[in-house]
Amino acid sequence: MLPAWSVQILQVLTVLVCAPGISGFVAWLEARLQGRRGPRIVQPYLTLAKQFSKETLAPHSVGPFFFVAPAAAFACYLVVPMLIPVLTSYPLPLGYMGDILGGGFILALGSFLVAVAAGSTGSSYAQLGASRSKTFAAITEPVVLLVVFTVAIITTTDLPYVLGATIRSGPEQIVRPSHLLAAAALFMVILSETARIPVETHTGTIELGMFEEARSFEHSGPLLAMLTWGSATKQFVFYVLLCNVFVAPWGLASTGAVKAVALAVAAIVAKACVVGIVVAVIDNSFAKLRLYKITEFVSAAFLLAVLAVVTLFLGGG
């Protein structure tokens, strides 16, 4: 039996180590769907090693916040795995520090820090990406709030472990209309927050449609590595939240047994790969929306979240 504190650390390490691999898998699968050989799945790890070995360069106009923001944002993304069920179905010692709403605030704080660091550079591209990301975040963040409200109404609490236990209690919990609408809204937010089509082409370098990539234009060396790793970590955290809280909270360890925890690690990686397959198919099936059309996409997510709340009051919960 593993002590609870060691499983807590293992949750963070699982997200930290596996996040670049999930990004590499999605990039590899997208290339295969397009008929290309594409990069290796381990390419993100090699890229990170290369970036950490390079020198850090910065514009003359930046202040200390430019150097602190990547590490602070990276730390924010690593706090959330302490609050959500990554490997266990029962709360760990730090699991009650915050709820889904608190985790959403922490993720938003990390994104805000990166945007402020980009804005302090004076670079037109970096400032453009930062301003655009915060403009659309003004719509996506209320979506997360409404999703949390839906969860709170269903389970009488917004603790992610309780919602996961509710979903595992029976198949009828998954197909309830309010839950399906909330899960669909959350998935649309994930596409937006992880720089995926139809909101953004995460591999593109066209300045007219860049959000996530533009914010790190002026960073280099270890600072760029932390931003890249943090972006992959945020993506994996969203996948974990979707799988282990909303859609498929199975495969989690009910005890601290070594075998059960090891199977939970394999299960979350497999479920994240399944979500990655869906994302890769969407990336290859649709074109990127025009800039003024993105508000319609995120507004549709907001509408689904509102319908989830309204459906509860109409007897669909």
Side-chain angles (χ1 to χ4, degrees):
M1 301 292 291
L2 295 173
W5 61 267
S6 64
V7 181
Q8 185 90 75
I9 296 175
L10 186 59
Q11 283 202 154
V12 179
L13 291 178
T14 300
V15 174
L16 183 66
V17 174
C18 296
I22 298 299
S23 298
F25 171 76
V26 175
W28 171 83
L29 181 60
E30 287 182 0
R32 292 294 182 176
L33 292 175
Q34 296 170 3
R36 300 183 290 109
R37 183 176 180 180
R40 294 173 291 178
I41 296 178
V42 297
Q43 185 60 45
Y45 297 101
L46 303 177
T47 302
L48 288 175
K50 182 179 180 180
Q51 290 172 348
F52 274 115
S53 64
K54 287 190 173 183
E55 180 184 3
T56 298
L57 301 176
H60 293 288
S61 60
V62 299
F65 189 82
F66 177 84
F67 301 94
V68 175
F74 195 34
C76 290
Y77 300 143
L78 292 180
V79 170
V80 181
M82 300 181 186
L83 311 178
I84 61 177
V86 180
L87 301 179
T88 63
S89 59
Y90 58 91
L92 294 169
L94 300 180
Y96 289 113
M97 285 196 310
D99 48 20
I100 299 180
L101 185 59
F105 283 151
I106 294 173
L107 290 174
L109 175 61
S111 179
F112 174 76
L113 293 175
V114 175
V116 172
S120 67
T121 61
S123 170
S124 57
Y125 287 158
Q127 290 179 331
L128 192 65
S131 62
R132 286 174 174 175
S133 65
K134 293 298 98 184
T135 299
F136 296 117
I139 306 177
T140 58
E141 290 173 3
V143 176
V144 177
L145 291 177
L146 286 175
V147 170
V148 172
F149 292 158
T150 305
V151 171
I153 295 173
I154 294 175
T155 64
T156 68
T157 179
D158 53 359
L159 291 174
Y161 288 94
V162 178
L163 179 59
T166 303
I167 300 301
R168 289 192 301 273
S169 64
E172 68 278 1
Q173 302 294 335
I174 301 178
V175 297
R176 69 169 75 214
S178 57
H179 179 77
L180 293 176
L181 290 170
L186 180 61
F187 182 73
M188 295 177 70
V189 170
I190 291 175
L191 292 179
S192 176
E193 290 293 328
T194 56
R196 294 290 176 177
I197 285 177
V199 175
E200 181 182 356
T201 53
H202 67 288
T203 57
T205 56
I206 301 177
E207 64 275 7
L208 296 179
M210 296 176 65
F211 306 156
E212 188 78 16
E213 296 292 330
R215 297 189 300 176
S216 59
F217 257 9
E218 298 300 324
H219 290 83
S220 61
L223 298 180
L224 179 59
M226 282 189 287
L227 289 177
T228 304
W229 203 349
S231 179
T233 302
K234 180 177 71 171
Q235 174 182 261
F236 193 27
V237 167
F238 272 118
Y239 287 4
V240 172
L241 187 64
L242 180 67
C243 294
N244 283 355
V245 178
F246 281 89
V247 177
W250 294 280
L252 298 171
S254 58
T255 65
V258 176
K259 182 178 180 181
V261 173
L263 291 176
V265 173
I268 187 57
V269 172
K271 287 186 285 188
C273 288
V274 172
V275 178
I277 292 173
V278 176
V279 171
V281 171
I282 292 175
D283 267 357
N284 284 272
S285 302
F286 298 93
K288 180 191 175 301
L289 292 173
R290 294 184 178 182
L291 187 63
Y292 67 90
K293 290 286 187 179
I294 297 177
T295 54
E296 298 180 5
F297 177 82
V298 292
S299 298
F302 181 78
L303 178 61
L304 289 178
V306 172
L307 289 176
V309 177
V310 173
T311 302
L312 286 172
F313 292 101
L314 297 179

